[in-house]
Amino acid sequence: MSDQHTIDAALAGDQAAWDTLVNRFSGPLWSVARAYGLSAADAADAVQGTWLRLLESLHTIRDPGRLGSWLFTTVRREASLIGRRSRGERPVADPADAGGFRPGSSPAEDAPDPALLVLSADEGRRLWLAVEAMQEPCRSLFRLMATAPDAGVHQLAGRLGMPSGSYGPTRGRCLNRLRTMLTAQEAAS
Amino acid sequence: MTRRPAAIDDESLIAALRLAAGRDPVPGHVPATARAAFGLRLPGAATALPVAAPAPRDVRDGGEERLLRFTTAGLTVDLEVTSMDGLVDLAGQVSPCPEEGTRVEVRTPHLTEARELSATGQFAVTGLPPGWFSVVCHRPGQVPVVTSWTRIRP
């Protein structure tokens, strides 16, 4: 069933069509929420909020091809807001935080589409192939980061044998290197 | 001229690596709640969107108070949110005061509480579980007005 058919069926009240969307996107949405450093409880809130917003906005999604992007932009926004609130950075009401967000807007219209990277199993395999070709400490850092999602910076740094203060900058450099490798692959293909 | 591939942000790279590694799968209750949320859809309802409300003030008994305002054409819903013992109390005002027979529902993904609106347009619900909620205003002979989903975590 195409996204258009699925959306039309859900709009017509078909629970099975809605379930199809939920089953397809929940795993990736969860991974995105967790990538913002959210606890399991906060990530569950971010994903749940994303589905509730889709329920509000489903009838306004005119381009079904952008449904994945819409969901990803929304979960990123919710995860970012919840993360800031949990860290005590913005102790104000969520709706005020949401600023320009309006149900029915197409948030990702002109932005790059990171959703595709997360949604495609092929992309995931390609990423790990690139990681396995990286030198240390990046290879170990990514393996550890992926397999210990709840580990704190102290723990991760300790297991990598580096001072806690070095973990963040090292991770940033490794992510930049991975990005460069992907860009080079794309240019070569 | 070809477009350069867009740069992928850190969080998306991390999410893609973790998803492919399969070590942090989505807990079953998350999609289960999302599937059940389909029962909360309100086709044809007008959505009241959040607008700036007066700043929250501290309450002496140690609780926390938040004021929220949602508006749509011709209707405003003001909510005073307090939390005690991990549960959420809502006191609401619908204005301008709708006609007699208007019914209000406070919905969460887990339960819905219905209230008749008072003659002055007020309603209250206590002891809600924290998390996402939305308020629906059913006026006789008009489309329902529903506030945009909002998260409350004490």
Side-chain angles (χ1 to χ4, degrees), chain B residues 64-101:
Chain B
E64 191 190 333
E65 183 182 272
R66 274 168 64 185
L67 299 174
L68 303 174
R69 173 170 288 177
F70 300 86
T71 62
T72 185
L75 202 75
T76 296
V77 179
D78 281 304
L79 295 174
E80 187 182 302
V81 183
T82 49
S83 49
M84 291 284 270
D85 302 326
L87 295 177
V88 175
D89 298 342
L90 288 183
Q93 167 80 55
V94 179
S95 51
C97 185
E99 62 182 285
E100 207 177 320

Side-chain angles (χ1 to χ4, degrees), chain A residues 94-178:
Chain A
D94 286 346
D97 274 357
F101 181 64
R102 289 292 176 266
S105 65
S106 296
E109 210 73 81
D110 302 313
D113 195 352
L116 299 175
L117 181 76
V118 188
L119 270 180
S120 154
D122 284 347
E123 290 293 320
R125 278 192 289 275
R126 189 166 72 95
L127 272 181
W128 276 108
L129 283 176
V131 167
E132 294 305 329
M134 292 179 97
Q135 295 186 346
E136 299 295 356
C138 295
R139 195 169 57 203
S140 295
L141 185 146
F142 284 135
R143 281 181 183 162
L144 197 54
M145 192 189 72
T147 52
D150 284 306
V153 168
H154 281 290
Q155 209 179 338
L156 293 168
R159 288 178 60 178
L160 291 165
M162 60 175 69
S164 294
S166 300
Y167 178 77
T170 305
R171 193 184 80 159
R173 276 194 297 277
C174 290
L175 285 166
N176 281 339
R177 195 170 301 169
L178 179 58

Side-chain angles (χ1 to χ4, degrees), chain A residues 63-86:
Chain A
D63 179 358
R66 295 199 69 84
L67 176 62
S69 304
W70 191 98
L71 286 167
F72 274 75
T73 305
T74 304
V75 77
R76 286 151 62 91
R77 192 188 319 262
E78 297 296 341
S80 167
L81 290 172
I82 290 172
R84 289 211 306 255
R85 260 186 77 86
S86 289

Side-chain angles (χ1 to χ4, degrees), chain B:
Chain B
M1 202 170 114
T2 54
R3 278 182 67 187
R4 287 187 54 189
I8 300 291
D9 60 289
D10 288 359
E11 286 82 7
S12 296
L13 276 177
I14 293 167
L17 285 167
R18 286 207 180 137
L19 185 70
R23 292 288 287 270
D24 182 30
V26 58
H29 71 89
V30 175
T33 308
R35 286 190 290 269
F38 193 61
L40 295 169
R41 74 195 194 97
L42 272 178
T47 304
L49 297 171
V51 294
R57 59 186 160 83
D58 288 332
V59 179
R60 275 193 199 149
D61 58 16
E64 191 190 333
E65 183 182 272
R66 274 168 64 185
L67 299 174
L68 303 174
R69 173 170 288 177
F70 300 86
T71 62
T72 185
L75 202 75
T76 296
V77 179
D78 281 304
L79 295 174
E80 187 182 302
V81 183
T82 49
S83 49
M84 291 284 270
D85 302 326
L87 295 177
V88 175
D89 298 342
L90 288 183
Q93 167 80 55
V94 179
S95 51
C97 185
E99 62 182 285
E100 207 177 320
T102 294
R103 205 163 42 83
V104 165
E105 282 174 350
V106 176
R107 309 177 308 159
T108 77
H110 305 288
L111 61 92
T112 294
E113 296 270 1
R115 295 284 184 274
E116 289 290 327
L117 210 55
S118 80
T120 51
Q122 290 164 322
F123 64 94
V125 176
T126 57
L128 291 168
W132 293 94
F133 78 93
S134 128
V135 175
V136 194
C137 189
H138 296 278
R139 296 167 294 172
Q142 298 189 58
V143 298
V145 168
V146 57
T147 64
S148 186
W149 287 95
T150 302
R151 177 179 172 266
I152 297 180
R153 286 278 173 202

